[in-house]
């Protein structure tokens, strides 16, 4: 197979590939990935209303700035969609990423003061929430039930014409970084569509890959996996390599090529270009930080950036294993021994590991909780990276979303328990009206994130019990999140604790989904000193390292969390009412300072540490005559 202009020698899709493409599209429809015709029309109506509102907003600000009636009418204003909607792969209920482009005399402050208020006063608009201090400042809203994420860019133009195109790099001149970032989403999306040989095939294949990634819980940029833009660029690259292939053939080759991709070789849709701005463009030769990127997927629009800088060693291992599993399923689909529905099977994250970390963020108000939980989630990746350095820990697997709960508490003791992640059945069933008028009652808003822990298999010939000390990474993580400039120890809580799979709460499972079997309780031995129940604040500091020699089943290792990360007073409770007269905080309940973590049985189907000898790896293969080495070579279109 020869390489020509970034493509591979491919004669065309076979009859079988065309057949499986038909069955793929039928399965995607069964899975509910396509919106109805009515919802599609509603989206168009909503976008039309939004475009008119943006023009009205620009006109109002123009008049307030002293412009004439004619100049205000000519100032314009335009919206551009980007993300999944612009790519044509959005589903029912998904949001529309929208960019509002305004002339130079309209400020960002106007966007969040004037335009946000105009939205709130518009008929059919609900849930308007501006986040002006975000990395990419945004207004989240719903118009006629359609969720919309609005970002804004102010160009160095006196007016915005209706036929404006954002493709010209010179439009980026004299813009602040936030405007460049806001424009980047739309420019990247348009460039992807311009660079794929067949947009229809690209959309069908991407819709499949997107659903697969969501079902397998690897669709999340913030948690170290890939976000929507990165998945789109990967599919676009395969489409470039096989410009004459149908969607089924693209999907088949996608998994094989991505499994064997020679990372950290970057995925590029076109050569990286220089431009008119004194801004940093991705360049691993010049920037050490760029050299550290594990799976670099580079945006095609200037200034080129790495869309996957969040990927960690653990998340790369997880995605690589998922590529391999998916390639094997699709191979069976091609030969008629499996159906596409198997590819979209739900993840088994909460059945996969024996031990998990819970990261619990809590506050006393819904508005504050949105910001605090978002801040904590954005730092989870740092905790994962620190856990990767822990001896005997093979992998730290973050789940892609947090679980939100609202708990109605009668007293401080219940508040304290909820903030620690201990929500009793009575609290879980309680409703808002149950605490109305009750003195001392309060509401706790909490978001819990999960990280699965995989312990390395014991080496042959090793003896004794290994200690899995996670005190440093958990303590450093809590310090990191508290460094947020808006952190308030009286109103925000952060708790990290480890739990057994048998203790996972019901809310992480779908209705009817079988929970992991409860682990058999170990028999108590008379006279056993359960030192792990000793408070970390107690006088016996050696209690953290004590292990019971009277437990019949030998533990593989002991998990030692940090006292500060699990039960730090300032971090544990979200309410100011928890202050104690003596030392400023309530005395804490005893927590276990050492818990047993057993090595999963060798038969478990969970991720194994990477195989060092490449000869041991049985790789999925491309069809006869095609060569992965060519597809993954350094050539770009």
């Amino acid at each position: 197979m020869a390489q020509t202009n970034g493509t591979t020698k491919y004669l065309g899709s076979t009859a079988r590939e065309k057949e499986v493409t038909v069955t793929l599209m039928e399965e995607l429809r069964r899975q509910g990935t396509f919106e109805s015709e009515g919802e599609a029309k509603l989206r168009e109506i909503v976008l039309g209303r939004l475009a008119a509102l943006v023009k009205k907003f620009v006109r109002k600000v123009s008049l307030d700035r002293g412009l004439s009636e004619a100049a205000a009418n000519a100032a314009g204003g335009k919206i551009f969609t980007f993300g999944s909607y612009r790519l044509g792969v959005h589903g029912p209920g998904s949001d529309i990423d929208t960019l509002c482009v305004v002339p130079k005399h309209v400020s960002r402050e106007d966007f969040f003061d004037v335009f946000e208020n105009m939205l709130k006063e518009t008929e059919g608009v609900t849930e308007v929430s501006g986040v002006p201090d975000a990395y990419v400042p945004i207004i989240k809203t719903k118009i006629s039930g359609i969720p919309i994420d609005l970002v804004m860019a102010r160009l160095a133009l006196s007016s915005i014409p209706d036929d404006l195109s954002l493709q010209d790099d010179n439009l980026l001149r004299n813009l602040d970084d936030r405007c460049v970032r806001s424009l980047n989403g739309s420019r990247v999306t348009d460039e992807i569509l311009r660079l794929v040989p067949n947009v229809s095939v690209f959309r069908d294949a991407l819709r499949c890959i997107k659903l697969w990634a969501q079902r397998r819980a690897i669709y999340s940029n913030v948690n170290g996996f890939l976000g929507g833009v990165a998945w789109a660029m990967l599919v676009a690259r395969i489409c470039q390599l096989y410009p004459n292939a149908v969607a089924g053939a693209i999907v088949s080759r996608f998994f094989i090529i991505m499994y064997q991709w020679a990372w950290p070789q970057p995925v590029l849709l076109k050569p990286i270009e220089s431009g008119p701005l004194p801004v940093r463009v991705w360049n691993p030769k010049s920037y050490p930080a760029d050299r550290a990127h594990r799976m670099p997927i580079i945006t095609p629009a200037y200034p080129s950036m790495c869309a996957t800088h969040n990927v960690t060693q653990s998340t790369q291992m997880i995605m690589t294993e998922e590529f391999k599993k998916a390639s094997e399923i699709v191979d069976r689909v091609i030969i008629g021994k499996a159906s596409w529905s198997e590819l979209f099977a739900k993840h088994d994250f909460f059945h996969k590991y024996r031990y998990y970390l819970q990261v619990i963020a809590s506050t006393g108000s819904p508005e504050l909780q949105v910001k605090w939980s978002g801040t904590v989630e954005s730092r989870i990746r740092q905790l994962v990276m620190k856990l990767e350095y822990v001896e005997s820990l093979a992998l730290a697997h973050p789940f892609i979303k947090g679980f939100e709960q609202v708990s109605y508490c009668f007293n401080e003791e219940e508040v304290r328990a909820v903030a620690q992640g201990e929500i009793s059945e009575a609290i879980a069933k309680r409703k808002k009206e149950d605490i109305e008028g009750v003195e001392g009652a309060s509401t706790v808003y909490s978001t819990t994130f999960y990280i699965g822990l995989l312990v390395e298999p014991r080496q042959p010939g090793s003896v004794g019990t290994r200690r899995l000390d996670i005190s440093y990474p958990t303590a450093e993580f809590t310090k990191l999140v508290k460094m947020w400039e808006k952190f308030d120890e009286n109103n925000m809580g952060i708790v990290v604790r480890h739990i057994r799979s048998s203790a996972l709460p019901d809310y992480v499972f779908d209705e009817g989904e079988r929970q992991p079997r409860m682990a058999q309780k170990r028999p108590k031995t008379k006279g056993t000193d359960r030192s792990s129940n000793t408070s970390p604040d107690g006088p016996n500091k050696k209690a953290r390292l004590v292990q019971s020699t009277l437990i019949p089943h030998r533990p593989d290792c002991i998990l030692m969390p940090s006292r500060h990360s699990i039960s730090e007073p300032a971090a544990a409770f979200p309410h100011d009412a928890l202050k104690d007269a003596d030392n400023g905080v309530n005395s804490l309940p005893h927590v276990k300072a050492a818990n047993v973590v057993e090595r999963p049985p060798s038969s478990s189907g969970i991720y194994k540490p990477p195989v060092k000898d490449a000869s041991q790896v049985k790789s999925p293969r491309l069809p006869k005559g095609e060569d992965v080495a060519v597809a993954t070579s350094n050539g770009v279109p």
Side-chain angles (χ1 to χ4, degrees):
M1 181 179 67
Q3 185 177 16
T4 308
N5 295 328
T7 67
T8 59
K9 186 177 180 181
Y10 176 72
L11 298 178
S13 296
T14 65
R16 179 56 185 161
E17 288 173 339
K18 292 176 182 177
E19 288 175 12
V20 298
T21 298
V22 172
T23 58
L24 171 61
M25 300 313 296
E26 291 173 350
E27 182 61 32
L28 289 174
R29 290 187 179 89
R30 273 196 297 270
Q31 295 281 348
T33 63
F34 293 89
E35 68 180 356
S36 66
E37 185 177 343
E39 185 175 351
K41 289 181 178 179
L42 178 59
R43 287 177 185 271
E44 293 177 6
I45 293 171
V46 165
L47 288 172
R49 292 180 61 197
L50 184 60
L53 188 64
V54 168
K55 286 183 179 290
K56 184 178 178 182
F57 157 63
V58 171
R59 182 179 183 279
K60 173 177 172 55
V61 173
S62 299
L63 292 172
D64 291 343
R65 294 283 189 277
L67 273 67
S68 66
E69 189 81 20
N73 290 332
K78 186 175 180 180
I79 64 170
F80 296 84
T81 59
F82 60 100
S84 62
Y85 182 80
R86 177 71 180 95
L87 289 171
V89 295
H90 61 288
S94 61
D95 58 18
I96 304 178
D97 295 311
T98 308
L99 167 69
C100 303
V101 177
V102 298
K104 60 184 179 181
H105 59 271
V106 178
S107 69
R108 191 169 300 279
E109 289 72 24
D110 293 327
F111 183 66
F112 285 99
D113 293 338
V114 180
F115 186 64
E116 186 173 342
N117 286 330
M118 290 176 69
L119 273 172
K120 291 176 180 177
E121 296 169 359
T122 301
E123 184 180 356
V125 173
T126 57
E127 301 181 23
V128 180
S129 176
V131 189
D133 54 350
Y135 183 70
V136 179
I138 188 171
I139 294 176
K140 290 179 172 287
T141 186
K142 278 189 177 181
I143 303 178
S144 299
I146 302 296
I148 297 180
D149 289 351
L150 292 159
V151 298
M152 169 258 192
R154 176 174 62 168
L155 301 185
L157 302 173
S158 58
S159 64
I160 304 299
D162 289 339
D163 60 353
L164 176 71
S165 169
L166 300 178
Q167 192 172 343
D168 185 1
D169 292 346
N170 288 306
L171 288 174
L172 302 176
R173 291 183 182 275
N174 303 315
L175 302 188
D176 63 28
D177 290 344
R178 291 175 297 179
C179 285
V180 172
R181 289 195 289 267
S182 296
L183 285 169
N184 196 48
S186 180
R187 283 166 51 85
V188 167
T189 303
D190 287 350
E191 195 70 359
I192 291 172
L193 291 173
R194 191 180 68 81
L195 291 169
V196 294
N198 186 317
V199 172
S200 177
V201 169
F202 164 73
R203 283 174 170 162
D204 290 344
L206 178 56
R207 194 178 287 275
C208 169
I209 299 303
K210 182 178 177 180
L211 177 62
W212 164 79
Q214 290 170 336
R215 292 287 171 82
R216 301 307 298 168
I218 54 173
Y219 191 99
S220 172
N221 175 60
V222 69
N223 286 296
F225 296 103
L226 307 189
V229 171
W231 287 116
M233 289 190 286
L234 287 187
V235 174
R237 185 67 189 115
I238 305 303
C239 288
Q240 289 179 332
L241 291 168
Y242 296 91
N244 300 317
V246 293
I250 293 294
V251 170
S252 172
R253 286 154 179 81
F254 173 89
F255 291 120
I256 297 172
I257 292 173
M258 286 302 111
Y259 173 68
Q260 299 185 53
W261 191 269
W263 305 110
Q265 176 184 305
V267 173
L268 300 168
L269 299 184
K270 70 176 188 180
I272 295 175
E273 300 171 345
S274 58
L277 301 179
V279 296
R280 174 171 161 172
V281 174
W282 189 81
N283 187 340
K285 293 181 179 178
S286 301
Y287 305 112
D290 291 351
R291 286 198 294 274
H293 295 157
R294 305 187 66 91
M295 294 177 66
I297 303 172
I298 309 305
T299 57
Y302 173 83
S304 293
M305 305 174 187
C306 179
T308 50
H309 61 275
N310 281 348
V311 173
T312 71
Q313 177 181 327
S314 290
T315 55
Q316 182 180 4
M317 287 172 60
I318 293 160
M319 286 187 285
T320 301
E321 182 71 14
E322 290 292 346
F323 288 143
K324 185 172 186 290
K325 289 179 181 177
S327 70
E328 293 167 349
I329 293 172
V330 176
D331 186 53
R332 295 201 304 273
V333 171
I334 297 293
I335 63 176
K337 291 187 177 181
S339 63
W340 284 110
S341 60
E342 293 181 38
L343 183 67
F344 306 124
K346 184 191 171 187
H347 66 86
D348 58 352
F349 176 84
F350 292 106
H351 299 279
K352 188 181 294 293
Y353 303 103
R354 187 163 293 185
Y355 274 81
Y356 295 82
L357 282 187
Q358 281 184 322
V359 180
I360 307 165
S362 56
T363 64
S365 80
E367 296 80 17
L368 190 58
Q369 182 63 17
V370 170
K371 296 179 179 179
W372 176 230
S373 64
T375 300
V376 172
E377 182 178 25
S378 69
R379 310 293 199 275
I380 293 287
R381 182 179 67 95
Q382 300 295 330
L383 174 56
V384 169
M385 292 174 67
K386 288 178 171 60
L387 287 168
E388 289 173 347
Y389 286 98
V390 174
E391 188 177 357
S392 298
L393 191 61
L395 181 143
H397 183 169
F399 191 57
I400 60 172
K401 69 170 187 176
F403 294 85
E404 298 178 355
Q405 287 182 290
V406 181
S407 303
Y408 302 103
C409 305
F410 282 144
N411 50 52
E412 294 179 10
E413 184 179 353
E414 289 187 347
V415 169
R416 196 159 49 241
V418 168
Q420 291 278 353
E422 300 288 351
I423 302 178
S424 67
E425 187 176 349
I427 296 176
K429 291 181 177 179
R430 199 172 293 151
K431 298 178 180 179
K432 185 178 180 179
E433 52 265 28
D434 295 333
I435 67 168
E436 290 178 354
V438 178
E439 186 178 353
S442 57
T443 304
V444 178
Y445 298 85
S446 61
T447 307
T448 305
F449 304 96
Y450 289 86
I451 300 174
L453 301 178
L454 176 61
V455 181
E456 287 182 349
R458 181 187 293 277
Q459 296 301 314
S462 62
V463 295
T465 301
R466 295 174 296 168
R467 291 182 173 87
L468 189 62
D469 187 353
I470 61 170
S471 59
Y472 175 76
T474 52
E476 287 298 301
F477 172 73
T478 53
K479 288 179 185 176
L480 177 66
V481 295
K482 289 187 210 174
M483 289 173 64
W484 184 41
E485 64 274 12
K486 295 186 178 180
F487 175 71
D488 180 358
E489 65 179 7
N490 295 325
N491 295 298
M492 302 176 187
I494 178 69
V495 170
V496 182
R497 68 172 193 164
H498 61 277
I499 62 170
R500 294 176 62 94
S501 60
S502 57
L504 285 168
D506 290 341
Y507 63 70
V508 303
F509 300 99
D510 289 340
E511 187 176 351
E513 183 181 355
R514 186 180 66 83
Q515 293 195 30
R517 265 181 291 180
M518 295 293 287
Q520 222 176 6
K521 291 186 177 180
R522 297 192 177 97
K524 293 183 179 180
T525 304
K526 191 174 181 180
T528 298
D529 176 21
R530 287 191 169 272
S531 57
S532 63
N533 284 332
T534 303
S535 168
D537 288 332
N540 184 9
K541 297 298 182 182
K542 292 183 179 180
R544 299 186 186 187
L545 305 181
V546 174
Q547 52 182 295
S548 174
T549 58
L550 300 178
I551 297 176
H553 182 72
R554 173 178 289 277
D556 181 68
C557 65
I558 288 182
L559 185 64
M560 297 186 298
S562 161
R563 179 257 174 187
H564 295 289
S565 62
I566 284 193
S567 57
E568 184 169 27
F573 314 123
H575 289 283
D576 196 21
L578 297 178
K579 292 278 181 106
D580 185 277
D582 295 331
N583 56 16
V585 294
N586 275 295
S587 57
L588 297 173
H590 288 188
V591 295
K592 294 184 178 181
N595 282 341
V596 175
V597 176
E598 297 172 5
R599 177 171 58 85
S602 58
S603 60
S604 62
I606 55 181
Y607 305 107
K608 298 175 178 61
V611 179
K612 303 298 182 184
D613 184 358
S615 65
Q616 299 178 33
V617 180
K618 184 178 179 182
S619 300
R621 297 178 181 274
L622 288 173
K624 188 175 181 180
E626 298 179 28
D627 188 356
V628 170
V630 175
T632 61
S633 66
N634 285 318
V636 294

